[in-house]
């Protein structure tokens, strides 16, 4: 076997035996089973959103490592280092834009992935043994929260007006939590105000602790997908099969410990004719992964060229922008705070507590415990918009729609003093200091 052949054969095996051996011989392919179902490879079931989010995280890691060589986490030099990156470093503006676009897209894609899992009922156990999809759903919810916090900590690093006041709004909402609110804000800021300790704290969290946490949670998430027998659409195929007698097939299976004989190292399959529904992971799965990766890189690159990362004036605690807005993915919270702040005579309902802490907290709690209260039949697992889940799907979509609408309102329709303006209305000239 030539050197070139010895390197590439695992990605383009000539026989089924080579396809199976490639899982053992190739470090990267250890992520995947030797065979995958054709249904799980379809574009229309999962839209490959989980893979897209993984590609975005890898892109963030690569660009972030490069940016670390060019950025100085100091209140005196942070803004200037970003300015040099924009106007002095070759391709620095593009590099920063790619990092920014990837961060925003990762938040959106992870959220959409969660929506897809709910609407297909994929957070519930199917008919195979030893499944624990509710636990993996909880891991996914935690991954979404960590992704939000990862993007939030990176928002401050440019140390411009946009970053400074966005973090101010975000941490002020967090401070509304009863009993521990002020302590949470103090821990986040490293003091009572946004200064050097805050920048250094956010920098370390953004560049080390949170990425490591995302990587660990993602690995656990992927491991649980394997333990649960793959995507939930496999359970749907199993239920749709006609009962028939089939002799057990003697196959070779692979594990991290090497070659074994007999039953598969995966969750026991409920498929009567396993080979009829499956194809080798290499090259079928790997080709689709390559396509998804290339398309994701293309979209990020185009968006980075069309929309360069903004850079406003250097952060100035004495000049408050009007309006001061949180990062876009928290604007629905800022809008919710406004809408739940109600004045009744001399009594005022604290919107920061109700809309910024209690309601979002209840949503997260409901998301975590919902799989254990869902009594939908197993026939709805892995099915888009199953009729027997219509009511809960509508409720879930209503919540998602409210979040999206509030985000749009906060982004495009809130002007000075957080007053409502239609997108085509001009804002009145308002003083910057108020």
């Amino acid at each position: 076997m030539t050197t070139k052949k010895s390197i590439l054969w695992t990605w383009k095996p000539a026989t089924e035996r080579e396809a199976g051996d490639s899982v053992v011989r190739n470090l990267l392919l250890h992520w995947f089973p030797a065979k995958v179902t054709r249904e799980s490879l379809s574009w229309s079931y999962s839209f490959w959103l989980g893979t897209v989010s993984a590609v975005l995280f890898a892109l963030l890691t690569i660009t972030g490592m490069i940016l670390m060589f060019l950025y100085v986490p100091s209140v005196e030099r942070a803004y200037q280092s970003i300015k040099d990156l924009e106007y002095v470093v070759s391709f620095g503006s593009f590099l920063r834009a790619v990092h920014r676009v990837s961060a925003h897209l990762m938040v959106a894609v992870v959220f959409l992935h969660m929506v897809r899992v709910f609407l297909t009922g994929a957070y519930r156990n199917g008919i195979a043994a030893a499944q624990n999809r509710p636990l993996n759903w909880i891991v996914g919810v935690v991954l979404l929260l960590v992704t939000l916090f990862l993007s939030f900590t990176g928002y401050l690093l440019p140390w411009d007006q946009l970053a400074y006041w966005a973090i101010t709004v975000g941490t002020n909402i967090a401070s509304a939590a009863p009993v521990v609110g002020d302590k949470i804000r103090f821990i986040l800021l490293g003091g009572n105000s946004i200064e050097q300790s805050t920048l250094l704290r956010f920098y370390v969290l953004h560049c080390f602790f949170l990425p490591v946490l995302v990587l660990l949670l993602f690995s656990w998430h992927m491991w649980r997908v394997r333990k649960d027998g793959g995507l939930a659409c496999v359970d749907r195929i199993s239920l749709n099969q006609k009962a028939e007698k089939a002799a057990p097939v003697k196959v070779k299976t692979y594990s991290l410990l090497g070659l074994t004989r007999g039953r598969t190292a995966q969750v026991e399959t409920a498929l009567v004719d396993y080979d009829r529904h499956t194809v080798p992971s290499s090259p079928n799965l790997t080709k689709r992964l390559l396509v998804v990766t290339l398309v994701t890189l293309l979209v990020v690159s185009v968006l980075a060229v069309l929309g360069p990362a903004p850079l406003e004036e250097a952060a100035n605690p004495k000049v408050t922008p009007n309006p001061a807005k949180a990062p876009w993915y928290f604007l629905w919270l800022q809008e919710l705070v406004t809408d739940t702040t109600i004045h009744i005579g001399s009594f005022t309902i604290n919107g920061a507590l109700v809309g910024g802490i209690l309601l979002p907290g209840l949503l997260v709690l409901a998301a975590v415990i919902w799989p254990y209260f869902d009594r939908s039949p197993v026939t709805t697992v892995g099915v888009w918009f199953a009729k027997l889940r219509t009511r809960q799907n509508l409720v879930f979509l209503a919540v998602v729609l409210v979040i999206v609408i509030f985000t749009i309102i906060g982004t495009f329709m809130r002007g000075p003093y957080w007053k409502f303006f239609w997108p085509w209305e001009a804002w009145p000239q308002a003083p910057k200091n108020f």
Side-chain angles (χ1 to χ4, degrees), residues 49 58 86 114 167 312 392:
L49 294 172
E86 284 287 324
M114 179 180 175
I167 300 303
E312 298 186 359
Q392 56 183 304

Side-chain angles (χ1 to χ4, degrees), residues 99 243 279 311:
H99 192 78
V279 292
L311 185 64

Side-chain angles (χ1 to χ4, degrees), residues 27-48:
L27 175 65
L28 296 177
L29 291 182
H30 264 301
W31 279 93
F32 313 114
K35 289 189 174 183
V36 292
T37 59
R38 290 184 175 89
E39 183 73 13
S40 63
L41 293 178
S42 67
W43 302 103
S44 58
Y45 174 70
S46 68
F47 300 107
W48 289 71

